Every structure is written in C-alpha cells, then in structure tokens.
Amino acid sequence: MGRRGSVGPVAFLVFGTEPSGSSVPGFGFGYKDVVRVRRFLSVLLVLCLSPALAAEGGVVLALSGGGTRGFAHIGVIEVLEEHKIPIVGIVGTSIGSLIGALKASGYDAAEMRRIVGDLDLPSLLAENTGPMFVFTGNDRRARTSTVSALTYKKSGRQRGPLGILTGDKLYQYFTQLMRHVTVTDFYDLPIPYAAVATDVRTGEKVVFRKGNLPSVMRASMSIPALFEPWEINGRLLVDGGLASNLPVDAARELFPSIPVIAVDVSDSPSADRVLNSYIDVIDQSLTIMMRRTTEEEARHADLVISPKVRGFSFLDSSRADAIVEQGREAALARIEEITALSNRGPGILELEGTREGSDIVEDVRVEGLPEKAALDLRKRCLPWIGKPVDRDRVEQTLQRLIASPGIATADYQLGRTESGDLVVLLDIRQSPELEIGLSGYTTNLHRNRWLYLKGTARGLLSDYDSLSGVVRLGEQWGIGLSYQTAPESMNAWEVNFAAHNWAMETSGGERDWDRYALGVNRLFSWGDVRWGLGLAYERVEGTRGSGDDKRDAVGPTFFASYDTLDIPSDPTKGHAWRLSAWWPNLKEINYRFTYFKPLEVGDNWRTYFRVGYAEGDLDFRGHAVYLGAAEELYSISSRPVEAERMAWASVAFRRVLSRSVLGLVAAELFGSYGHAMDRDYKKIASPWEVGLAVNFPNNLIDIKLAAMYGSEEFKIGFFLGVPIWDHYPLP
C-alpha cells in the first residue's frame, strides 16, 4: 500500500482504471490513451499467437463476491482441473478475489478445499480474543481498548469509526496464505490475475493487476460497515462488489478475445428472508445494491454458472464442503458448454508482465509519515538493503508499528525502479489527530473498579508528537498525562505526569496513599527490542494506617523489553519479557520482571505461561511489593501480601468452546503460585490457586467468569473490561 509515484512506471500500472483525464507521468498523453494502446497490443498478441496455441484452448474466470457462498468457486475450478480445461486468467471480486488468488498463485482445488475446510472465520473476525491472563507485552492499545470512541480530524470534523472490525487479523491470514508469492505483477503468477475493489470516495471500480497481493485481497474484501476501508495509493477502498460484483467487463478488458466464464454466487433479494443479525442486514443490503450491476455484467459473459447457494449464510464457514459441492454440481451440469468455449479460446497467452530483476533489496522508502519520523523508520530498515527480501522481518516491523497508538495502518509493497531494482515501500497511515474514548473495568474480587475517559491529540508541536491523557473515576481516582515526540515503535522523548489514589487492604493492614509522579524518559527501539532511560520524581502522602506520612523520592529509571508475540490481541507464538527499574534517592533499587509465553496446541487449544519477579522496599510501605495487587493471583487480589520480594508463576490451558462473528467462548483451566519474602529472603507467604474460567472476549468488552480454590478460600469472581494498572514509575 503505497503512493508510488517515486518509483517510476510501477505506480501507474497498479490500477486498471483511473479517473478520466488523468495522465501518466512522463508520457504526455492520457491514461485512456494508454488503455487503448494496451488493448490494441493485447489483441495483436492474441492474433499472432493464436495459430500456434489454438490447440491448447483456454477460458478466463470472472469470480463474483458473495461471502462464504464463494467457496462454490472451488467446486467449479475442481471440475475444470478434472477435465483439463486451461484457465488463461482470473479476475475476482471480494471472496472471488481470495479464491482467484489462491488458484492463480499455485494452489490446486484439493488444497483450496483443505484451506476453506480449516478456515476459522469467526476467529479471524473476532479481533479481541485474548486469554484471561493480563498480557506482559507492549501493546497498550490491546490492553486499554475502548468500549466506544470518537475521532476527529484537524478541521474538527468527526471521523470514524469507519467499520466494526479493523480486518487486521484477516490481512495477516492473507499474508500467511501468500507467503510463497514473490512477484509484484500479477501477470507473472502461474495464472495471470486481477482483483476488483471500489473507491469509496468516488464510487469508481478499481482493478488491480500489480501490488502487494495480500493487501489487494484485503481491499477487495472490505465489506462496508463490517470492515474498515483499506487504503492503497491514497485511495480508500471497500468491497469490489459495490462497483462490479461479477467482474466480467474487467475480464474482457484484461483478456480480450478469450471466452469468459462467470461464476455468480451472489444471492437474490427475498421478502421471505429472515433477518436474525446485523450480518444478515448487511448481506441483504449489499444484495439489493449489487443485483442490477451483477445482472448487467452477466449478459456480457460467454457463460454464466450459478451454483445453488441460496440458503447458505453470508459468513458461515462451517458448511464449506457442502458449498464447494454446489459449485461442482453446477459446473458438471454445464461441462459440455465449458469444453466448447475452451476449444474456441486462443490458448495460454504470454502476457507482458513486469520483468522481475534481482531479489536483492536496493532501497527502502517510507510514505505517509512526516519527514523526520520517516527518516527514523528508514534508518531502522537499512539492514534490509543488500539482502534478499525477508518478508518475516518486514511484517514483524509492521506489527510493531501497528501496535503503536499513533499508527492506524501499516502496509508494504515490493516495487521496481525503471532499472529493475527491488524497492521495499512502507506505506503508513497515521491515527486521527484527535481521539476520545470511553472504557472501564469492574470486578467483585477487589476494590479496583474504574471508569476511564481517554483522549489523545496528535501534531501539537511537531508533525508526529502526541499528548495522551486518561481520567480514572471510581473509588480510587486518578489522572495521567503522557507526551511523546514520536511513536512508541521509534526513538523518542517522553514526559509523564501521574496523580492518583492507591488504596488496598493488605495482609499487613489497610493502606491508602495519594501519589504524584513526574518523569522524563528517552526511548529507543530496534526491531523487537525497546529500552529507555529516564529520571523520575515522586511524592507519596500516606493516610489511613499506611504507616507513612509523606515521602519524596527522585532517581533514575530504566526499562527494557523484548516482544515477538505474533498477534498482540491473541498471540499464538513468540514471547514477551519486560524489565522495569527505579532507583529512588539512590538507596534501594525497585524493579519488576515479567515473562509471557503462549503456545498453540491444535486448532482449539492454547497454553499460556507467565512468570514474574519483583523487589521493593518494605521499610517504606509505598514502595513495597504487593503479591496479588495486579492480579498475579486472582484469589488473593482482595487482600494482597505485603513483602520486600515476590515471585509468581501461572499456567493456563484454554479450550475454545464456540465461535461467532462477535467473538469466542473459551474455557480456561489455570493454576498459579506465588512466593513472598522479606529482606532476608525468608518466606512471608506462599499462596496458590487453581481455577476454572469462562472467557467471552469480543469486539466490544471483555467478559470473564471464574471459580477458584486457593490457599485462602473458594471464590467466584467476574471481570468486565481490562484494567489499567499504574505503570509509573513502575508497572
């Protein structure tokens, strides 16, 4: 996804259509003239090659959108493979772009059956599906998600949200499916390919035959209202079905003189249809909007195959095999006509694609960021130059960027200069200039029950700075402000201010403090590693039996983290560790270390490991450590253990019970152990717990229910939302 005017002719060939009157940079004539020349050359090429290749025959497939009903495309392709009908080219819309890309990139029908059979669509659509345990990674957005949010541009106009789902997990899935694809021109795939999307601003059809294939697939499948639009080359794109749900016209333009077989899996509006959810309403609305254009383009096809998919749900992947069979039956019923059309075709054309040069990266370019931020990001990517493109490394870098609150989307393209050099193009879209959100957290297990009001303003003193604030309302009040000169994923300066009340009933008695803190940090980032140095000042005023009246402290701070979690909101592999330290008054170092490790075991099972160690200062109660205060052990969170040192470990086994578009229902069997010690490492307490939890992570708010038995007693607890544990000066 990149505005690629700086890489020569790569840019203007990405789209198959452009607004009328546009011109090609450096050529002096209009885009329509280019299209006419391309059409003429293509026809000439067909005429030249036809005598030699006529015996081979071939057809072009135009694959429609239609949600998971599009699995029927696989059945049609399966019949063509069995009857050795050559597929000369494929043009797909929405789900047709996915199935078409699979076939064009080298998957056969059997492999595609396996892919859709294993497809866990609800998990891809449910974007907040994490475990019960609080993460120890660095993704603040995942940990402090809002129930509702408003965003504004600098003009003051409200923007967003633009869709219920971000579609990030879907894009990551496409990336995994297309890891074997190294070309940027889709004519260079085993089968020439193109995909159709819709420019949501202009309503124009946009035909892609170049670019980053997973990004193009994501754009083509951006169902309006359900997914946020996808941006490519400055164009905001939604589902291609709005402009061309049955892409016959695009197929005829891209592959002239070749018979076009259209596969229509769209539904028809029905007054008898039962609408049970907002998904059904979206499906019915799209069907109504697209029906006329679908019927019109169907008349331009040489043959239309219409599998009997009515009655199958729009986003139901559980009946994949039955849907594939409908496509197979429909194709077998028309096999004589298909064969006759194939024999009419000119054969497999040697279409002119981009001449791929070396796979060695010659340059990295960044677009969408202010100059300084773009320069910092490019410096981080300099090790890529002079080496073959490492997609894992590129995608990992983008994941780190997306985890930063200041980054809305991050994508990449592999482009070519005029001389054929390989260029990695990073296209970044910043978050809106102003965000205001509402969130909260409550539980019956301890007193930390809060309502959060959160806001972030960007571009105040420089192009890429940000000021974030949170107001915490509840029995324990709090406010916090944080100013950063750059995103968390880049090198930056950070200034923090926090004021809050901290109250709890501990094993040593009731504690209550008002805390005020101010600090400055210098943050550094390199790949998966983040670290920082700073100076912090804190005033603690104790009341109600805290044992301390007032204390001021100042000293250096340090933190370091290493995070390779693949998906911050629902990790399946990788690990994350974090070390935070503060040296108040240069007397006794307070620090906290945490480690988190997920492990995927089959499709429905996950295992999570978490360990931690912390040291404080028991002589000053405000700087002691409190085992259970941040849910190290749920069962003692209402009465945490006060100590000088503490260690803890947790393990959980999660089983997914059911899936839906809104989220998952998962059960977790967990066990935790903690060990609290005094200054001489003598045991104060060793609490433990085992329990069973039911987790309802969804796209609105986390819901958890847990029953646990521990060293104290049997407890039943509930949790709504995600807590914001105070992380300053220490987590």
Side-chain angles (χ1 to χ4, degrees):
M1 186 170 79
R3 303 165 195 81
R4 306 191 302 166
S6 60
V7 294
V10 176
F12 81 92
L13 289 174
V14 174
F15 299 116
T17 62
E18 284 286 326
S20 59
S22 62
S23 62
V24 180
F27 285 83
F29 56 93
Y31 192 87
K32 287 187 175 180
D33 298 318
V34 176
V35 173
R36 294 190 186 101
V37 172
R38 288 168 58 191
R39 288 177 181 172
F40 172 77
L41 293 176
S42 298
V43 173
L44 183 64
L45 184 63
V46 169
L47 295 175
C48 293
L49 296 176
S50 290
L53 301 175
E56 298 184 16
V59 297
V60 172
L61 294 182
L63 306 180
S64 82
T68 52
R69 294 187 287 263
F71 295 163
H73 295 317
I74 299 174
V76 175
I77 293 171
E78 189 172 70
V79 171
L80 298 184
E81 289 179 356
E82 292 173 356
H83 290 79
K84 296 182 171 46
I85 306 293
I87 301 174
V88 175
I90 301 175
V91 182
T93 291
S94 194
I95 187 66
S97 72
L98 167 61
I99 304 301
L102 291 174
K103 177 60 181 176
S105 65
Y107 290 96
D108 61 26
E111 292 171 317
M112 288 190 286
R113 270 187 180 263
R114 175 186 55 78
I115 289 171
V116 300
D118 296 338
L119 179 64
D120 184 4
L121 187 60
S123 292
L124 293 177
L125 299 182
E127 298 178 332
N128 184 15
T129 58
M132 182 173 175
F133 289 128
V134 178
F135 291 137
T136 60
N138 302 320
D139 182 27
R140 291 187 183 178
R141 283 199 311 187
R143 298 182 61 181
T144 62
S145 59
T146 56
V147 176
S148 61
L150 297 175
T151 59
Y152 295 85
K153 301 180 180 180
K154 286 185 177 179
S155 63
R157 297 185 62 182
Q158 182 181 338
R159 177 186 175 183
L162 302 181
I164 299 174
L165 307 174
T166 65
D168 290 343
K169 292 179 71 173
L170 194 66
Y171 175 65
Q172 292 162 4
Y173 176 70
F174 293 160
T175 299
Q176 292 298 319
L177 288 177
M178 297 299 156
R179 298 195 66 79
H180 61 291
V181 176
T182 59
V183 300
T184 59
D185 190 321
F186 304 155
Y187 279 6
D188 293 327
L189 293 170
I191 298 175
Y193 168 81
V196 177
T198 303
D199 188 322
V200 73
R201 293 189 179 99
T202 65
E204 292 178 325
K205 174 177 67 179
V206 181
V207 181
F208 290 92
R209 53 152 294 223
K210 288 178 180 285
N212 177 28
L213 188 53
S215 184
V216 168
M217 295 160 63
R218 169 63 178 84
S220 182
M221 296 184 65
S222 299
I223 302 171
L226 184 61
F227 293 114
E228 289 187 0
W230 196 252
E231 186 174 348
I232 299 179
N233 283 35
R235 305 183 79 162
L236 204 59
L237 303 164
V238 295
D239 197 293
L242 295 182
S244 179
N245 193 52
L246 190 64
V248 175
D249 291 346
R252 289 213 174 277
E253 180 178 318
L254 297 174
F255 305 97
S257 303
I258 305 174
V260 175
I261 296 178
V263 185
D264 183 10
V265 296
S266 60
D267 205 349
S268 300
S270 173
D272 300 329
R273 182 173 181 178
V274 178
L275 304 177
N276 294 316
S277 68
Y278 72 89
I279 297 296
D280 294 333
V281 174
I282 292 174
D283 182 20
Q284 181 82 338
S285 301
L286 292 176
T287 298
I288 295 170
M289 288 188 292
M290 297 183 304
R291 197 60 205 167
R292 184 181 61 82
T293 58
T294 300
E295 292 174 350
E296 183 176 335
E297 289 208 63
R299 290 194 290 268
H300 301 160
D302 294 281
L303 178 66
V304 178
I305 298 175
S306 301
K308 297 179 181 180
V309 291
R310 188 168 186 177
F312 290 96
S313 178
F314 180 56
L315 290 178
D316 182 10
S317 60
S318 63
R319 303 175 65 189
D321 195 63
I323 298 173
V324 173
E325 286 300 318
Q326 291 299 320
R328 179 178 175 86
E329 292 177 11
L332 286 172
R334 310 290 295 273
I335 190 61
E336 292 184 2
E337 298 170 82
I338 296 172
T339 303
L341 283 174
S342 174
N343 293 334
R344 258 176 49 194
I348 301 176
L349 301 179
E350 294 295 331
L351 297 167
E352 186 67 29
T354 300
R355 292 186 178 179
E356 300 290 336
S358 170
D359 289 331
I360 302 300
V361 177
E362 296 295 331
D363 195 11
V364 178
R365 303 180 183 180
V366 180
E367 297 182 356
L369 292 179
E371 184 177 354
K372 186 180 182 304
L375 183 61
D376 289 343
L377 178 56
R378 187 178 181 278
K379 287 180 179 178
R380 291 177 55 195
C381 302
L382 289 179
W384 302 353
I385 297 176
K387 303 176 183 177
V389 61
D390 187 340
R391 292 177 177 263
D392 286 336
R393 195 170 184 182
V394 174
E395 291 160 11
Q396 207 168 61
T397 299
L398 296 182
Q399 282 298 309
R400 299 281 82 77
L401 286 170
I402 295 173
S404 299
I407 302 295
T409 63
D411 197 7
Y412 76 99
Q413 297 272 16
L414 301 179
R416 298 279 176 184
T417 65
E418 294 181 358
S419 59
D421 294 333
L422 183 63
V423 178
V424 179
L425 300 154
L426 303 181
D427 191 1
I428 315 300
R429 181 157 63 91
Q430 300 174 230
S431 299
E433 290 82 359
L434 179 62
E435 293 182 272
I436 302 174
L438 173 68
S439 185
Y441 172 75
T442 185
T443 178
N444 66 317
L445 294 181
H446 52 72
R447 296 163 58 179
N448 299 319
R449 296 183 286 271
W450 307 304
L451 180 68
Y452 314 126
L453 296 175
K454 298 182 291 181
T456 300
R458 301 182 177 89
L460 299 175
L461 302 179
S462 64
D463 289 332
Y464 208 73
D465 64 351
S466 65
L467 176 65
S468 300
V470 58
V471 177
R472 187 178 71 193
L473 305 176
E475 185 175 345
Q476 301 178 39
W477 59 269
I479 59 173
L481 292 172
S482 178
Y483 176 79
Q484 284 192 347
T485 60
E488 291 184 0
S489 54
M490 303 178 187
N491 301 336
W493 285 95
E494 180 184 58
V495 180
N496 292 302
F497 170 76
H500 60 91
N501 173 255
W502 181 26
M504 69 182 84
E505 183 177 348
T506 73
S507 58
E510 181 137 358
R511 308 292 182 225
D512 195 315
W513 299 273
D514 291 336
R515 304 182 71 177
Y516 308 89
L518 178 69
V520 179
N521 301 298
R522 181 67 168 126
L523 310 177
F524 303 91
S525 181
W526 187 261
D528 300 319
V529 179
R530 294 183 68 242
W531 61 283
L533 295 168
L535 183 68
Y537 166 80
E538 180 191 61
R539 165 166 285 197
V540 179
E541 298 180 355
T543 61
R544 290 196 302 174
S546 64
D548 307 293
D549 182 24
K550 183 184 299 183
R551 177 163 173 172
D552 296 306
V554 62
T557 61
F558 171 80
F559 91 91
S561 68
Y562 181 67
D563 187 346
T564 62
L565 299 177
D566 56 344
I567 307 173
S569 61
D570 187 17
T572 62
K573 59 183 179 180
H575 52 90
W577 62 259
R578 182 180 178 95
L579 171 67
S580 302
W582 184 39
W583 196 6
N585 297 333
L586 303 183
K587 290 184 178 181
E588 196 163 339
I589 298 177
N590 300 340
Y591 67 91
R592 181 182 179 98
F593 173 82
T594 55
Y595 176 81
F596 175 78
K597 171 67 179 177
L599 183 64
E600 189 169 28
V601 184
D603 295 334
N604 294 315
W605 282 97
R606 300 271 178 85
T607 303
Y608 304 102
F609 301 95
R610 188 174 60 141
V611 297
Y613 182 83
E615 289 196 9
D617 184 3
L618 195 56
D619 292 337
F620 178 59
R621 305 290 183 181
H623 290 173
V625 296
Y626 293 89
L627 181 62
E631 297 183 348
E632 292 87 4
L633 284 85
Y634 296 106
S635 61
I636 63 169
S637 59
S638 62
R639 197 168 181 268
V641 179
E642 192 174 59
E644 180 87 12
R645 300 175 175 89
M646 66 180 185
W648 67 96
S650 302
V651 61
F653 304 93
R654 186 182 78 165
R655 166 78 174 168
V656 175
L657 302 179
S658 67
R659 294 175 168 89
S660 70
V661 175
L662 294 177
L664 308 181
V665 177
E668 292 184 22
L669 180 65
F670 62 92
S672 302
Y673 173 81
H675 190 66
M677 299 163 283
D678 62 13
R679 185 181 300 273
D680 299 321
Y681 294 93
K682 295 181 179 179
K683 184 179 82 171
I684 297 176
S686 295
W688 57 270
E689 67 185 11
V690 293
L692 178 66
V694 180
N695 193 9
F696 305 88
N698 56 75
N699 299 320
L700 296 176
I701 187 170
D702 276 0
I703 303 173
K704 307 179 182 75
L705 302 174
M708 64 204 78
Y709 179 78
S711 52
E712 288 193 353
E713 59 184 343
F714 176 79
K715 292 184 178 181
I716 295 178
F718 70 85
F719 309 83
L720 297 178
V722 179
I724 302 180
W725 299 113
D726 296 300
H727 67 280
Y728 189 86
L730 284 176

